[in-house]
Amino acid sequence: MSSRRLPSRWVHSVPSVLILGIALVCSLLGPLAVGRADAQEVLTNQSIIGMVKAGLSESVIIAKIRTSERKFDTSTDALLKLKAEKVPDKVIEAMLGGGAPAASAATDPKIAYVSATGAITLKAVHGEIETSVAPFAGSRQEVVLPEPKAQYRITDKQPAFSTNLAAEQWALIRLKPGKKDRNLPMSSNSGWGWEGATFRQGPDPKYRVALEAGAGPDGSARIKPKEPLAPGEYGLIAIVRGQPNMVEVWDFGVD
């Protein structure tokens, strides 16, 4: 029986086709694999002691307790140790509340713009993830938000926001303007080469705005940008159980 040989141009093209296929699969599945690897955080007594030693405010720690899974030791000896570690009484009271946090606290973040005239609750808009893939150039993903501008507008260049989550569970993103929409740049990878590929999940650091945390008079967590905002479109995203929810965006515009 005679054997047939593939044309040489086919043989040489096989590695390139395989590499391109691997790059495309990795670009699409890489962020999912990273997300599945993240373990769910559970607060313990030592977690609280660590936050106190790090200098986090009482209100921030309480907000973190209210919005997290927890497994506290509230025995007499454990409470005495907490007191010896200078954990505030109000934090210990929150720990004694016991039980898992209400589902709504973890799944329904709320945030309000606080001005001199009062607080106005922001409404979330829902976007769609758009993935762009180019051979050997990697891929990028963006969340596309409807409408070129947010309906809610402010002139405050350094706005303060009140939230039911801990301050560190929010990220402020400067949105990219489009002709008929706005874009929130997110995960990307560098493409496939001889040295492998790198993946990043989450909002693009180039568009993330640094925030500072505080506490309101009612004990709620407060956040505001560290530097005045330039006029433009912005969005707040919630980070729940370590995962940023970038499809649900609390948007606003600065005029």
Side-chain angles (χ1 to χ4, degrees), residues 14-45:
V14 168
S16 298
V17 173
L18 288 176
I19 291 174
L20 178 57
I22 293 171
L24 292 175
V25 172
C26 290
S27 67
L28 295 176
L29 297 183
L32 294 178
V34 172
R36 290 173 181 170
D38 289 334
Q40 179 176 315
E41 180 185 16
V42 178
L43 291 185
T44 63
N45 291 37

Side-chain angles (χ1 to χ4, degrees), residues 152-215:
Y152 187 69
R153 319 295 301 177
I154 62 175
T155 56
D156 189 353
K157 299 300 188 292
Q158 205 164 6
F161 300 92
S162 174
T163 174
N164 65 330
L165 300 184
E168 64 268 21
Q169 289 185 263
W170 287 99
L172 177 58
I173 311 298
R174 177 170 55 86
L175 303 177
K176 287 173 56 179
K179 293 182 179 180
K180 297 182 179 180
D181 51 33
R182 293 155 294 158
N183 300 304
L184 190 160
M186 48 183 286
S187 59
S188 67
N189 75 62
S190 63
W192 189 268
W194 295 113
E195 297 180 357
T198 57
F199 299 92
R200 187 191 67 244
Q201 185 180 29
D204 190 328
K206 293 187 298 183
Y207 293 88
R208 189 161 180 170
V209 179
L211 294 170
E212 60 183 20

Side-chain angles (χ1 to χ4, degrees), residues 87-197:
V87 176
D89 288 342
K90 288 187 177 180
V91 172
I92 295 176
E93 289 175 7
M95 294 173 66
L96 289 170
S104 60
T107 58
D108 297 324
K110 295 180 181 179
I111 192 160
Y113 167 60
V114 181
S115 67
T117 58
I120 299 176
T121 301
L122 299 183
K123 294 182 179 180
V125 295
H126 295 265
E128 296 181 349
I129 296 178
E130 181 180 85
T131 302
S132 301
V133 181
F136 305 105
S139 68
R140 62 181 178 85
Q141 289 181 310
E142 293 184 333
V143 175
V144 180
L145 301 179
E147 305 298 329
K149 288 188 175 183
Q151 293 185 2
Y152 187 69
R153 319 295 301 177
I154 62 175
T155 56
D156 189 353
K157 299 300 188 292
Q158 205 164 6
F161 300 92
S162 174
T163 174
N164 65 330
L165 300 184
E168 64 268 21
Q169 289 185 263
W170 287 99
L172 177 58
I173 311 298
R174 177 170 55 86
L175 303 177
K176 287 173 56 179
K179 293 182 179 180
K180 297 182 179 180
D181 51 33
R182 293 155 294 158
N183 300 304
L184 190 160
M186 48 183 286
S187 59
S188 67
N189 75 62
S190 63
W192 189 268
W194 295 113
E195 297 180 357

